[in-house]
Amino acid sequence: MSKVQILSYAGCGTCKKALKWLGDHGVDVAVRPIVDEPPTADELARWIPASGLSVRRWLNTSGQSYRALGKARVDAASDEEITRWLTEDGKLVKRPVLVKGDKVLVGFREGDYAALFG
């Protein structure tokens, strides 16, 4: 099986669950620390459409970075502005982000991982 990339945050419980699932299923993973290396604009231009989610669904709405921006500011922001924020602050990105070829999963749902690697 080819190596997949996962953008992860060491302090994130959901990321830990995803990494455990991947390890338990023998998936070779390259871990990229999302806070130190947030997604680039070029990556997001490919990954957002590949995920099937709107850019707003990429926001980690339970994190401090989101709360610092405030819901009203996010609601008023353009998709381009949100994309720029995601490139500037890895903690603003919903995680983990798993990239396997042209497939991108945001967050961890066991069924989605099983479907991708099954």
Side-chain angles (χ1 to χ4, degrees):
M1 190 173 289
S2 63
K3 185 173 271 197
V4 299
Q5 178 176 212
I6 189 165
L7 284 73
S8 177
Y9 175 57
C12 168
T14 305
C15 295
K16 291 175 187 173
K17 287 177 191 173
L19 288 168
K20 180 179 183 333
W21 189 97
L22 292 165
D24 289 349
H25 290 82
V27 179
D28 192 13
V29 180
V31 178
R32 176 169 147 190
I34 198 166
V35 174
D36 299 331
E37 297 177 54
T40 66
D42 287 343
E43 287 170 334
L44 288 174
R46 293 189 314 272
W47 294 351
I48 291 171
S51 74
L53 301 174
S54 71
V55 68
R56 292 173 189 279
R57 297 287 308 275
W58 278 66
L59 289 167
N60 173 16
T61 58
S62 61
Q64 290 179 346
S65 293
Y66 180 85
R67 287 195 295 274
L69 285 171
K71 185 177 181 328
R73 184 170 176 205
V74 172
D75 287 348
S78 67
D79 287 356
E80 292 77 19
E81 190 169 18
I82 291 171
T83 301
R84 182 176 49 80
W85 292 340
L86 294 172
T87 67
E88 295 170 350
D89 184 354
K91 286 190 176 180
L92 193 55
V93 181
K94 184 174 182 170
R95 51 195 182 261
V97 175
L98 183 134
V99 181
K100 180 181 187 250
D102 62 353
K103 305 286 188 206
V104 178
L105 299 178
V106 179
F108 173 64
R109 287 173 300 285
E110 190 171 334
D112 292 348
Y113 274 51
L116 184 60
F117 294 101

